[in-house]
Each structure stands twice: as C-alpha cells, then as structure tokens.
C-alpha cells in the first residue's frame, strides 16, 4: 500500500495525532485519569522476570506518562520518555514531571538527548512498533543506547489476531508482526528473546542484548499464508466478481456515520454488517 512520506507521518504524530490541536495541556492534565490497562501493566511487569538491577528505563512512545509512573512504583530510579505527540509529551511533563523528549525515537535530536543517559538498562515500548516507519532504524538506535545485557520490552498487535480492517485500512499501522518475524528483527540487531507473554493474542516480548542471540521460536507454518487466508475469508474475496469494482470505508466510532447504502451488491451489504458487528460502526 502506498503510504505518505516519513516527513508527513512525523508531522502527523507531532502536531495532529489524537486531535492534539483541539486540546489544552494545562486544562486537561488535572482532569485526565492516568490509569493503565491490564495489558500495559503486564507488559511493564515483564521486567520483573529479567533478574536485573532496577536502574534506568526509557519508555518509547510514553503517551501521558502512566507507564513510567508504574516503573517508578517498581523502584526504577532514572526514568525518561520519548513521545512523538507534542500534546502527550507535555501532558506527561505537566502531570508527572518526567523528562520527555519530543519527536521520533530515531531522530538525531532525540538520540542526542538520550546519549546523556547511556547506557540505558531497559528500553520499553507499548504498541509503537506497528507505527514505526523503519523498524531496523528503530532497533539500531535502541542497541546503540545500550550495553550488552541491556534489555528491551516490546508489546504490539499480533498480525494473526489483529482485525483485518486494522491491518489493511488503518493508516497509522504501517507494519504488522508475527512472533517469528519480530524475533528475526531483534536477532538482527543483537537481541535474544528471553521472556514473553502472548495471553492477549498480542506480541509481548522481553529481549536481552547479547553477542550471539539464538532463535527461540520456530516457524511452524507460513504466517503470511495464514494471514492472507484470514483476510480472504473475512472479506469474502472468493465470492467477489473480478469485473466489479468494490469499495468500503469506515470511520472512528466517535464520528457521525451514515449507513445509507450506495451499493446494490449483497456481498457489500454483508461486508458492512461484519464491520458493524465487530466495531459498532460502519459507513459505505
């Protein structure tokens, strides 16, 4: 799928993501509840399986700072965040007082800020990797900020369980990963997987930087073939006629949507019903 340039995506996340232009940090900070989901908490607590001193943590994509606060409760002393959204970064600063670098983790200005903390003991990232423009660059920067025996914890959607509509039609998700593909990516940058938690049908992995990482997972099937089959089944692609052009669209459920049918095809009507069943919103 064609995608915007990296510069466009950078501006989108910094200035427009999460309707940032319509919000005011100083008005919002006292009102927002800064709780964690169970998935966020469990991913952060993977660090407790690593048998390591509680030193420094960098939360890449720290949002409003709530996960950094959880690391603080666990006893980690040096805490820093990186956040692409200017609004969210300023929210974390206003609410918790953490040092948060604004921009992409891979940006030179951000890397220069983090160099003062090198080596960073734990790199943590929750549902960020699927948004990353160049994952090799992302992990290369992480590795450059850590010594051997540094750790990285990553949580993200699993391509085999993420809804098809998100995989195909939601622009911010530029990437999709299987556990095998993610491990190959980590191994290529000197990280070996040492712990995981896949109880959410999500990828939740802890890896250690080492000289010779060894693969933990074995490819038992072709994940791409399974993903394609899942998409074909969900969208009923086998039943669509090759000489007919089909189109479907959906919007965020906070928006007002129109369900006025513009197609006579029963197949499209069925497709719209599936969108509505899974997401509570659909538009045609």
């Amino acid at each position: 799928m064609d995608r915007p340039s990296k510069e466009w995506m950078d501006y989108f996340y910094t200035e427009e993501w999460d309707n940032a232009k319509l919000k005011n940090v100083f008005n919002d900070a006292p009102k927002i509840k800064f709780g964690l989901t169970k998935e966020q908490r469990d991913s952060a607590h993977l660090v407790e399986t690593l048998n390591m001193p509680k030193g420094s943590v960098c939360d890449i994509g720290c949002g409003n700072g709530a996960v950094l606060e959880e690391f603080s409760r666990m006893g980690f002393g040096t805490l820093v965040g990186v956040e692409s959204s200017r609004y969210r970064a300023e929210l974390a600063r206003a609410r918790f007082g953490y040092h948060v670098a604004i921009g992409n983790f891979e940006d030179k200005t951000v890397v220069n800020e983090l160099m003062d903390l090198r080596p960073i003991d734990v790199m943590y990232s929750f549902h960020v990797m699927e948004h990353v423009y160049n994952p090799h660059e992302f992990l290369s920067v992480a590795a450059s900020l850590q010594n051997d025996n540094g750790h990285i914890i990553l949580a993200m959607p699993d391509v085999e369980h993420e809804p098809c509509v998100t995989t195909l039609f939601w622009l911010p998700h530029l990437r999709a990963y299987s556990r095998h593909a993610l491990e190959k990516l980590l191994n290529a940058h000197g990280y070996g997987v040492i712990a995981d938690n896949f109880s959410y049908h999500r990828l939740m992995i802890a890896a250690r930087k080492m000289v010779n990482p060894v693969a933990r997972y074995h490819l038992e099937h072709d994940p791409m073939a399974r993903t394609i089959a899942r998409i074909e089944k969900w969208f009923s692609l086998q039943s669509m006629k090759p000489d007919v052009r089909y189109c479907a669209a959906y919007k965020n459920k906070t928006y007002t949507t129109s369900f006025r049918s513009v197609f006579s095809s029963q197949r499209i009507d069925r497709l719209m019903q599936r969108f509505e069943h899974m997401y509570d919103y659909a538009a045609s």
Side-chain angles (χ1 to χ4, degrees), residues 36-217:
L36 296 179
T37 65
K38 188 175 186 299
E39 185 182 352
Q40 286 176 308
R41 184 172 289 105
D42 286 353
S43 63
H45 281 265
L46 264 182
V47 75
E48 296 182 326
T49 70
L50 305 181
N51 190 26
M52 57 168 290
K54 293 182 177 180
S56 56
V57 175
C58 176
D59 183 354
I60 308 164
C62 68
N64 60 30
V67 179
L68 282 171
E69 188 71 0
E70 186 69 13
F71 279 111
S72 178
R73 292 191 190 101
M74 286 189 278
F76 284 85
T78 303
L79 301 167
V80 63
V82 177
E83 176 54 51
S84 294
S85 165
R86 189 181 307 280
Y87 168 77
R88 291 186 181 186
E90 292 174 350
L91 199 62
R93 292 170 176 174
R95 178 64 177 81
F96 296 112
Y98 292 125
H99 174 78
V100 180
I102 300 175
N104 281 332
F105 176 61
E106 312 93 292
D107 290 350
K108 289 183 179 180
T109 54
V110 172
V111 174
N112 288 338
E113 283 189 56
L114 297 177
M115 276 293 181
D116 291 338
L117 298 175
R118 191 185 183 282
I120 298 172
D121 298 309
V122 178
M123 294 291 188
Y124 171 86
S125 180
F126 183 85
H127 284 236
V128 170
M129 286 290 287
E130 65 271 25
H131 298 260
V132 170
Y133 210 86
N134 186 334
H136 280 287
E137 185 180 4
F138 179 96
L139 287 175
S140 176
V141 169
S144 73
L145 294 168
Q146 294 189 295
N147 290 342
D148 286 346
N149 296 318
H151 294 83
I152 187 167
I153 297 174
L154 301 172
M156 68 199 72
D158 180 346
V159 66
E160 294 190 42
H161 298 99
E162 187 175 50
C164 298
V165 66
T166 306
T167 304
L168 292 179
F169 293 144
W170 200 50
L171 173 63
H173 281 197
L174 300 177
R175 306 279 175 176
Y177 301 87
S178 68
R179 68 181 69 178
H180 181 262
L182 179 59
E183 182 178 48
K184 285 183 68 177
L185 185 63
L186 285 164
N187 289 167
H189 292 276
Y191 290 99
V193 175
I194 58 173
D196 58 46
N197 180 353
F198 301 136
S199 60
Y200 296 89
H201 282 171
R202 300 285 195 272
L203 299 180
M204 194 180 293
I205 284 175
R208 179 181 294 131
K209 190 178 177 187
M210 56 185 69
V211 177
N212 294 307
V214 178
R216 178 188 181 106
Y217 309 121

